[in-house]
Amino acid sequence: MQRVLVLGGGFAGLWSAVGAARKLDELGVGADQVDVTLVSSSPWHSIRVRNYEAELGSTRLPLDEILRPIGVGRVEAEVVDIDFDRRQVVCSGRSDSLPYDRLVFALGSRLARPAIPGLATFAFDVDTYDAASRLNRHIAGLPNRKPSPGRDTVLVIGGGLTGIEAAAEMPAKLGAAFGAQKDASWRVILADHKAWIGSDMGSEARPVIDEALRALAIETRPGVSIAAIDEAGATLATGERIAAETVVWCAGMQAHPLTARFPVERDRFGRIPVAADLKVLGMAAEFAAGDVAWFAIDGHKSCVMSCQHGRPMGRYAGHNAVADLLGLPTLPLVIPWYTTILDLGAWGAVYTEGWDRHLVSSGAAAKRTKMVINQQRIYPPRSGVRAEILAAGAPVVQTAPARL
């Protein structure tokens, strides 16, 4: 029996497994000939991009709900090493290694945590479901804490997409927590080291973001650097103190550290280079997809670390891993369009198109589109119907989201 091993249960990993199973089904190759197994440290598929929200109950679903109907196995374990010469994956807690004939490496990314004193101990984040849940519990419990200069202040550090979305949701979270409590005087501060909040969103979208943040009474502090974090707040590089018992770190992402095991040159995010068919450059049996991989996805611009690219990368990587294993042609992935839809809390959202992020819509209209994407478009079929799940794994590129 030959084996296709998929590492990771996020967007790229799940869709790699589905894509591989679909290709085998198309070819009429049974599980007794080629086995597809997904390895993940969690039994859940997390809709990670929704971790900034107040209600997280619907943001994760059991991996087995998708994998079992299509005949994909699952191993729950933490991947700790890969032996490329022997084609084996080492997992913690297992005496045996997992062999493969084709590997799809899709272990994703994690929040970048620089060596700032107190960051690991005192800061919150929304990088994982557990971390986001911890933050939400903390916010809900603020009214029960002893009043202090920083009790009712939330400092969000990182003015990129995640930081903006986390900050924009905070007024509603704080409003729900404090209600009509008379002594509540909560503040939300959004800080970043760059000269503008949302600097990567382009010149057309930035004024919209500024308008939304003002309407939400969110204070902005661009051009500042954090020197230290403690239980009472943060100290800036200038020595200034910001009293805040809730500091949320949203500043940067890095690919999974096991990318360092690949004998290739990684980019500044730690990602490994792949060809358009998602095979790792210079390697014979290894593919990579999602936040751990990069290539020019439209022929010019590099793919981004988001589900917008991770999902199709996964579908193509799974398809191509099977095709390559069986000596069939592989398919190149090209996505000629790019959109960014940024959630701005109760104010709405902002919708841009293209790498220069041309403004398309904002406010309530953009929010409706964002909700369709976050709550429907990026979810796998949950019917349990084998044919529906396999069909969703086809190596095709979805059209751009509709403007609602």
Side-chain angles (χ1 to χ4, degrees), residues 13-55:
L14 175 62
W15 287 107
S16 292
V18 177
R22 180 202 165 276
K23 183 60 176 176
L24 290 170
D25 183 76
E26 177 188 80
L27 297 171
V29 177
D32 59 332
Q33 298 170 278
V34 179
D35 172 81
V36 180
T37 295
L38 183 147
V39 184
S40 175
S41 60
S42 166
W44 302 98
H45 173 62
S46 176
I47 307 300
R48 184 187 188 189
V49 295
R50 294 184 60 188
N51 282 348
Y52 64 90
E53 296 182 14
E55 176 51 56

Short mmCIF file of all heavy atoms in Angstrom, two decimals, residues 13-55:
data_model
loop_
_atom_site.label_atom_id
_atom_site.label_comp_id
_atom_site.label_asym_id
_atom_site.label_seq_id
_atom_site.Cartn_x
_atom_site.Cartn_y
_atom_site.Cartn_z
N GLY A 13 -4.43 22.09 5.37
CA GLY A 13 -4.33 20.66 5.65
C GLY A 13 -5.62 19.91 5.39
O GLY A 13 -5.63 18.86 4.73
N LEU A 14 -6.73 20.44 5.89
CA LEU A 14 -8.02 19.78 5.67
C LEU A 14 -8.31 19.65 4.19
O LEU A 14 -8.70 18.57 3.70
CB LEU A 14 -9.13 20.55 6.37
CG LEU A 14 -10.55 20.02 6.11
CD1 LEU A 14 -10.71 18.61 6.62
CD2 LEU A 14 -11.59 20.95 6.72
N TRP A 15 -8.11 20.73 3.45
CA TRP A 15 -8.46 20.69 2.02
C TRP A 15 -7.46 19.87 1.21
O TRP A 15 -7.80 19.33 0.16
CB TRP A 15 -8.62 22.11 1.48
CG TRP A 15 -9.89 22.70 1.99
CD1 TRP A 15 -10.04 23.67 2.95
CD2 TRP A 15 -11.22 22.32 1.62
NE1 TRP A 15 -11.36 23.91 3.18
CE2 TRP A 15 -12.11 23.10 2.38
CE3 TRP A 15 -11.72 21.39 0.72
CZ2 TRP A 15 -13.50 22.97 2.27
CZ3 TRP A 15 -13.11 21.26 0.60
CH2 TRP A 15 -13.98 22.05 1.36
N SER A 16 -6.24 19.74 1.70
CA SER A 16 -5.29 18.82 1.06
C SER A 16 -5.79 17.39 1.16
O SER A 16 -5.75 16.61 0.19
CB SER A 16 -3.90 18.93 1.70
OG SER A 16 -3.29 20.17 1.43
N ALA A 17 -6.27 17.02 2.34
CA ALA A 17 -6.78 15.66 2.55
C ALA A 17 -8.01 15.41 1.68
O ALA A 17 -8.13 14.33 1.06
CB ALA A 17 -7.11 15.45 4.02
N VAL A 18 -8.90 16.39 1.64
CA VAL A 18 -10.11 16.23 0.81
C VAL A 18 -9.73 16.16 -0.67
O VAL A 18 -10.26 15.34 -1.43
CB VAL A 18 -11.11 17.37 1.07
CG1 VAL A 18 -12.32 17.24 0.15
CG2 VAL A 18 -11.56 17.38 2.52
N GLY A 19 -8.80 17.03 -1.09
CA GLY A 19 -8.37 17.02 -2.48
C GLY A 19 -7.72 15.70 -2.88
O GLY A 19 -7.95 15.20 -4.00
N ALA A 20 -6.93 15.12 -1.99
CA ALA A 20 -6.30 13.83 -2.27
C ALA A 20 -7.35 12.73 -2.38
O ALA A 20 -7.31 11.90 -3.30
CB ALA A 20 -5.29 13.50 -1.18
N ALA A 21 -8.30 12.72 -1.44
CA ALA A 21 -9.36 11.70 -1.47
C ALA A 21 -10.21 11.84 -2.72
O ALA A 21 -10.62 10.83 -3.33
CB ALA A 21 -10.23 11.83 -0.22
N ARG A 22 -10.46 13.05 -3.13
CA ARG A 22 -11.26 13.27 -4.34
C ARG A 22 -10.55 12.73 -5.58
O ARG A 22 -11.17 12.10 -6.45
CB ARG A 22 -11.56 14.75 -4.51
CG ARG A 22 -12.39 15.05 -5.75
CD ARG A 22 -12.26 16.49 -6.22
NE ARG A 22 -12.79 16.60 -7.57
CZ ARG A 22 -12.12 16.32 -8.67
NH1 ARG A 22 -10.86 15.90 -8.59
NH2 ARG A 22 -12.68 16.44 -9.86
N LYS A 23 -9.25 13.00 -5.69
CA LYS A 23 -8.51 12.53 -6.85
C LYS A 23 -8.50 11.00 -6.91
O LYS A 23 -8.67 10.40 -7.98
CB LYS A 23 -7.09 13.08 -6.82
CG LYS A 23 -6.23 12.69 -8.05
CD LYS A 23 -6.87 13.22 -9.34
CE LYS A 23 -5.97 12.93 -10.55
NZ LYS A 23 -6.63 13.34 -11.82
N LEU A 24 -8.31 10.35 -5.78
CA LEU A 24 -8.33 8.89 -5.75
C LEU A 24 -9.70 8.36 -6.15
O LEU A 24 -9.81 7.37 -6.88
CB LEU A 24 -7.96 8.40 -4.35
CG LEU A 24 -6.50 8.61 -3.93
CD1 LEU A 24 -6.32 8.29 -2.45
CD2 LEU A 24 -5.56 7.75 -4.78
N ASP A 25 -10.75 9.01 -5.67
CA ASP A 25 -12.11 8.60 -6.03
C ASP A 25 -12.33 8.76 -7.53
O ASP A 25 -12.94 7.89 -8.18
CB ASP A 25 -13.11 9.44 -5.25
CG ASP A 25 -14.55 9.03 -5.51
OD1 ASP A 25 -14.98 8.00 -4.97
OD2 ASP A 25 -15.24 9.75 -6.26
N GLU A 26 -11.84 9.84 -8.08
CA GLU A 26 -11.98 10.10 -9.53
C GLU A 26 -11.29 9.02 -10.34
O GLU A 26 -11.80 8.58 -11.39
CB GLU A 26 -11.38 11.46 -9.86
CG GLU A 26 -11.38 11.84 -11.32
CD GLU A 26 -10.59 13.11 -11.56
OE1 GLU A 26 -9.34 13.03 -11.63
OE2 GLU A 26 -11.20 14.19 -11.67
N LEU A 27 -10.16 8.55 -9.84
CA LEU A 27 -9.38 7.53 -10.55
C LEU A 27 -9.85 6.10 -10.25
O LEU A 27 -9.37 5.15 -10.87
CB LEU A 27 -7.90 7.66 -10.18
CG LEU A 27 -7.21 8.97 -10.59
CD1 LEU A 27 -5.82 9.05 -9.97
CD2 LEU A 27 -7.14 9.11 -12.10
N GLY A 28 -10.75 5.98 -9.31
CA GLY A 28 -11.21 4.65 -8.93
C GLY A 28 -10.18 3.86 -8.15
O GLY A 28 -10.19 2.62 -8.15
N VAL A 29 -9.30 4.56 -7.45
CA VAL A 29 -8.26 3.91 -6.65
C VAL A 29 -8.77 3.78 -5.22
O VAL A 29 -9.12 4.77 -4.57
CB VAL A 29 -6.95 4.72 -6.68
CG1 VAL A 29 -5.90 4.07 -5.77
CG2 VAL A 29 -6.43 4.83 -8.11
N GLY A 30 -8.81 2.58 -4.69
CA GLY A 30 -9.37 2.33 -3.38
C GLY A 30 -8.38 2.55 -2.25
O GLY A 30 -7.16 2.67 -2.46
N ALA A 31 -8.92 2.57 -1.01
CA ALA A 31 -8.09 2.78 0.17
C ALA A 31 -7.13 1.62 0.41
O ALA A 31 -6.15 1.77 1.16
CB ALA A 31 -8.99 2.98 1.39
N ASP A 32 -7.39 0.45 -0.20
CA ASP A 32 -6.47 -0.67 -0.06
C ASP A 32 -5.23 -0.50 -0.93
O ASP A 32 -4.25 -1.24 -0.79
CB ASP A 32 -7.17 -1.98 -0.42
CG ASP A 32 -7.73 -1.98 -1.84
OD1 ASP A 32 -8.07 -0.87 -2.35
OD2 ASP A 32 -7.84 -3.06 -2.44
N GLN A 33 -5.27 0.49 -1.83
CA GLN A 33 -4.13 0.77 -2.71
C GLN A 33 -3.36 2.02 -2.26
O GLN A 33 -2.14 2.02 -2.25
CB GLN A 33 -4.62 0.94 -4.14
CG GLN A 33 -5.28 -0.30 -4.74
CD GLN A 33 -5.94 0.01 -6.06
OE1 GLN A 33 -7.07 0.50 -6.12
NE2 GLN A 33 -5.23 -0.29 -7.14
N VAL A 34 -4.11 3.08 -1.94
CA VAL A 34 -3.48 4.32 -1.48
C VAL A 34 -4.23 4.81 -0.24
O VAL A 34 -5.45 5.05 -0.31
CB VAL A 34 -3.49 5.42 -2.56
CG1 VAL A 34 -2.86 6.70 -2.00
CG2 VAL A 34 -2.75 4.96 -3.80
N ASP A 35 -3.53 4.94 0.84
CA ASP A 35 -4.10 5.43 2.08
C ASP A 35 -3.83 6.92 2.23
O ASP A 35 -2.72 7.39 1.96
CB ASP A 35 -3.49 4.69 3.28
CG ASP A 35 -3.91 5.29 4.60
OD1 ASP A 35 -5.02 4.98 5.06
OD2 ASP A 35 -3.13 6.09 5.17
N VAL A 36 -4.85 7.69 2.63
CA VAL A 36 -4.69 9.11 2.93
C VAL A 36 -4.95 9.29 4.42
O VAL A 36 -6.01 8.91 4.93
CB VAL A 36 -5.65 9.98 2.12
CG1 VAL A 36 -5.45 11.46 2.48
CG2 VAL A 36 -5.45 9.78 0.63
N THR A 37 -3.98 9.87 5.13
CA THR A 37 -4.11 10.10 6.56
C THR A 37 -3.71 11.53 6.88
O THR A 37 -2.72 12.04 6.35
CB THR A 37 -3.22 9.13 7.36
OG1 THR A 37 -3.69 7.79 7.16
CG2 THR A 37 -3.27 9.44 8.85
N LEU A 38 -4.48 12.16 7.74
CA LEU A 38 -4.19 13.52 8.19
C LEU A 38 -3.70 13.46 9.63
O LEU A 38 -4.27 12.77 10.46
CB LEU A 38 -5.45 14.38 8.10
CG LEU A 38 -5.33 15.87 8.48
CD1 LEU A 38 -6.26 16.72 7.64
CD2 LEU A 38 -5.65 16.09 9.97
N VAL A 39 -2.62 14.19 9.90
CA VAL A 39 -2.04 14.25 11.25
C VAL A 39 -2.25 15.65 11.80
O VAL A 39 -1.87 16.65 11.17
CB VAL A 39 -0.53 13.93 11.23
CG1 VAL A 39 0.03 13.91 12.65
CG2 VAL A 39 -0.27 12.61 10.53
N SER A 40 -2.88 15.73 12.96
CA SER A 40 -3.13 17.02 13.59
C SER A 40 -3.07 16.87 15.10
O SER A 40 -3.46 15.83 15.64
CB SER A 40 -4.50 17.57 13.18
OG SER A 40 -4.81 18.77 13.87
N SER A 41 -2.61 17.89 15.77
CA SER A 41 -2.53 17.84 17.24
C SER A 41 -3.88 18.05 17.89
O SER A 41 -4.03 17.89 19.10
CB SER A 41 -1.54 18.90 17.74
OG SER A 41 -1.97 20.20 17.36
N SER A 42 -4.88 18.44 17.10
CA SER A 42 -6.21 18.73 17.62
C SER A 42 -7.25 17.95 16.83
O SER A 42 -7.08 17.71 15.63
CB SER A 42 -6.51 20.23 17.52
OG SER A 42 -7.88 20.50 17.72
N PRO A 43 -8.36 17.56 17.45
CA PRO A 43 -9.43 16.90 16.70
C PRO A 43 -10.33 17.87 15.96
O PRO A 43 -11.27 17.46 15.30
CB PRO A 43 -10.22 16.17 17.80
CG PRO A 43 -10.06 17.04 19.00
CD PRO A 43 -8.65 17.58 18.90
N TRP A 44 -10.01 19.16 16.07
CA TRP A 44 -10.88 20.19 15.52
C TRP A 44 -10.28 20.86 14.28
O TRP A 44 -9.06 21.05 14.18
CB TRP A 44 -11.13 21.28 16.55
CG TRP A 44 -11.75 20.81 17.83
CD1 TRP A 44 -11.09 20.52 19.00
CD2 TRP A 44 -13.13 20.56 18.07
NE1 TRP A 44 -11.98 20.11 19.95
CE2 TRP A 44 -13.25 20.13 19.41
CE3 TRP A 44 -14.27 20.66 17.28
CZ2 TRP A 44 -14.47 19.80 19.99
CZ3 TRP A 44 -15.50 20.33 17.86
CH2 TRP A 44 -15.59 19.91 19.19
N HIS A 45 -11.15 21.26 13.37
CA HIS A 45 -10.80 22.20 12.30
C HIS A 45 -11.30 23.56 12.77
O HIS A 45 -12.50 23.76 12.97
CB HIS A 45 -11.48 21.81 10.99
CG HIS A 45 -11.31 22.82 9.89
ND1 HIS A 45 -10.07 23.17 9.39
CD2 HIS A 45 -12.22 23.57 9.21
CE1 HIS A 45 -10.22 24.08 8.44
NE2 HIS A 45 -11.51 24.34 8.32
N SER A 46 -10.39 24.49 12.98
CA SER A 46 -10.73 25.80 13.52
C SER A 46 -10.85 26.83 12.41
O SER A 46 -9.97 26.94 11.55
CB SER A 46 -9.65 26.25 14.52
OG SER A 46 -9.90 27.56 14.98
N ILE A 47 -11.94 27.58 12.44
CA ILE A 47 -12.09 28.72 11.52
C ILE A 47 -11.36 29.88 12.18
O ILE A 47 -11.95 30.80 12.77
CB ILE A 47 -13.58 29.03 11.26
CG1 ILE A 47 -14.31 27.76 10.81
CG2 ILE A 47 -13.72 30.12 10.19
CD1 ILE A 47 -13.79 27.13 9.53
N ARG A 48 -10.08 29.82 12.08
CA ARG A 48 -9.18 30.68 12.85
C ARG A 48 -9.41 32.16 12.60
O ARG A 48 -9.24 32.98 13.52
CB ARG A 48 -7.74 30.31 12.47
CG ARG A 48 -6.64 31.01 13.22
CD ARG A 48 -5.32 30.62 12.57
NE ARG A 48 -4.14 31.05 13.27
CZ ARG A 48 -2.93 30.96 12.77
NH1 ARG A 48 -2.74 30.44 11.57
NH2 ARG A 48 -1.88 31.39 13.46
N VAL A 49 -9.82 32.51 11.40
CA VAL A 49 -9.98 33.92 11.06
C VAL A 49 -11.14 34.58 11.81
O VAL A 49 -11.31 35.79 11.75
CB VAL A 49 -10.17 34.11 9.54
CG1 VAL A 49 -8.92 33.70 8.79
CG2 VAL A 49 -11.38 33.33 9.04
N ARG A 50 -11.93 33.78 12.53
CA ARG A 50 -13.04 34.33 13.30
C ARG A 50 -12.71 34.44 14.79
O ARG A 50 -13.59 34.78 15.60
CB ARG A 50 -14.29 33.46 13.12
CG ARG A 50 -14.86 33.48 11.72
CD ARG A 50 -16.16 32.67 11.63
NE ARG A 50 -17.18 33.20 12.53
CZ ARG A 50 -18.34 32.60 12.78
NH1 ARG A 50 -18.62 31.43 12.21
NH2 ARG A 50 -19.23 33.14 13.60
N ASN A 51 -11.47 34.20 15.17
CA ASN A 51 -11.14 34.18 16.60
C ASN A 51 -11.26 35.53 17.29
O ASN A 51 -11.25 35.59 18.52
CB ASN A 51 -9.71 33.64 16.80
CG ASN A 51 -9.65 32.13 16.68
OD1 ASN A 51 -10.66 31.44 16.68
ND2 ASN A 51 -8.43 31.61 16.58
N TYR A 52 -11.38 36.61 16.53
CA TYR A 52 -11.56 37.92 17.15
C TYR A 52 -13.00 38.14 17.61
O TYR A 52 -13.29 39.10 18.34
CB TYR A 52 -11.19 39.03 16.16
CG TYR A 52 -12.08 39.09 14.94
CD1 TYR A 52 -13.23 39.87 14.93
CD2 TYR A 52 -11.79 38.35 13.80
CE1 TYR A 52 -14.06 39.92 13.83
CE2 TYR A 52 -12.61 38.38 12.70
CZ TYR A 52 -13.75 39.17 12.71
OH TYR A 52 -14.58 39.20 11.62
N GLU A 53 -13.91 37.27 17.22
CA GLU A 53 -15.33 37.49 17.49
C GLU A 53 -15.69 37.17 18.94
O GLU A 53 -14.94 36.52 19.67
CB GLU A 53 -16.17 36.63 16.55
CG GLU A 53 -16.01 36.99 15.08
CD GLU A 53 -16.89 36.15 14.17
OE1 GLU A 53 -17.81 35.47 14.69
OE2 GLU A 53 -16.66 36.17 12.95
N ALA A 54 -16.87 37.62 19.35
CA ALA A 54 -17.33 37.42 20.72
C ALA A 54 -17.88 36.02 20.93
O ALA A 54 -17.74 35.44 22.01
CB ALA A 54 -18.40 38.46 21.08
N GLU A 55 -18.51 35.46 19.92
CA GLU A 55 -19.11 34.13 20.02
C GLU A 55 -18.29 33.16 19.18
O GLU A 55 -18.27 33.25 17.94
CB GLU A 55 -20.56 34.16 19.54
CG GLU A 55 -21.24 32.81 19.51
CD GLU A 55 -21.11 32.05 20.82
OE1 GLU A 55 -21.51 32.59 21.87
OE2 GLU A 55 -20.58 30.92 20.79
#
